[in-house]
Amino acid sequence: MKTPNALALLQDGIELDRHYAFVYCSPSRSSFMTGRLPYHVQQINRQNCDTGQGVAPLNMTFLPAKLAAVGYQTFHVGKWHLGMSTPGHIPKGRGFQESLVYFEGAEDHNTQRSCQDPECIIPIPANASSPYDLWVDDGPATALAGVEHSGFLFGRTAVGYVQALNLSNGPLFMHLAPASSHTPLE
């Protein structure tokens, strides 16, 4: 396959040619963020409110914290699913300077309401008690919730970060985890 754009990015960047994935998404993400195998971080794909084995321990430094310490601008856009039970578990607490995220393992991509995979295929009424699962930095993003499909929202946000980027403030590290690649398939 000819990929001239990807090759051009590689020439100006760093090739990460070793990677470790797990059968579930959250342990793989924890592995990437900590540099440790899922066996040493967590192997459970639990809900984010879990303070036990379902999240990476707070004593493990995440990649964006290390990069921010050496001058990188750090942004996270999309699915988080790495913890939310304390301010230290959310992207801001893990080294991201700015973020637009959904915390749980799945969300309704049109309403941004928290859900469990099979349940969010069923439309959720506007007056439902299911909370919005959309945050900007360290607070709820209720003004953005339900306005557009998450794929468009996250894409527009990522492009906005790049367009507003001031390289004199340091290089960029952005973790983009789009919602459309995850269930429910809406």
Side-chain angles (χ1 to χ4, degrees), residues 47-71:
Q47 297 296 50
N48 279 309
C49 53
D50 184 1
T51 57
Q53 297 178 6
V55 298
L58 287 175
N59 66 345
M60 291 186 177
T61 304
F62 273 33
L63 176 62
K66 290 288 192 183
L67 292 173
V70 294

Side-chain angles (χ1 to χ4, degrees), residues 102-115:
Y102 71 98
F103 287 127
E104 290 295 346
E107 65 153 8
D108 182 299
H109 303 310
N110 294 301
T111 65
Q112 289 78 41
R113 289 190 183 274
S114 180
C115 62

Side-chain angles (χ1 to χ4, degrees), residues 32-33 63-64 67 72-76 96 171-175:
F32 174 70
M33 288 293 171
L63 176 62
L67 292 173
Y72 276 74
Q73 300 170 76
T74 57
F75 304 99
H76 178 78
F96 285 103
L172 167 69
F173 171 71
M174 179 186 296
H175 184 252

Side-chain angles (χ1 to χ4, degrees), residues 31-102:
S31 181
F32 174 70
M33 288 293 171
T34 63
R36 296 174 169 97
L37 293 171
Y39 179 80
H40 298 290
V41 184
Q42 59 121 338
Q43 299 179 67
I44 302 169
N45 213 38
R46 288 191 180 158
Q47 297 296 50
N48 279 309
C49 53
D50 184 1
T51 57
Q53 297 178 6
V55 298
L58 287 175
N59 66 345
M60 291 186 177
T61 304
F62 273 33
L63 176 62
K66 290 288 192 183
L67 292 173
V70 294
Y72 276 74
Q73 300 170 76
T74 57
F75 304 99
H76 178 78
V77 182
K79 181 179 176 178
W80 179 245
H81 204 201
L82 290 172
M84 63 181 232
S85 60
T86 72
H89 286 99
I90 67 174
K92 275 281 220 195
R94 296 297 199 163
F96 285 103
Q97 294 155 336
E98 295 184 49
S99 63
L100 176 64
V101 303
Y102 71 98

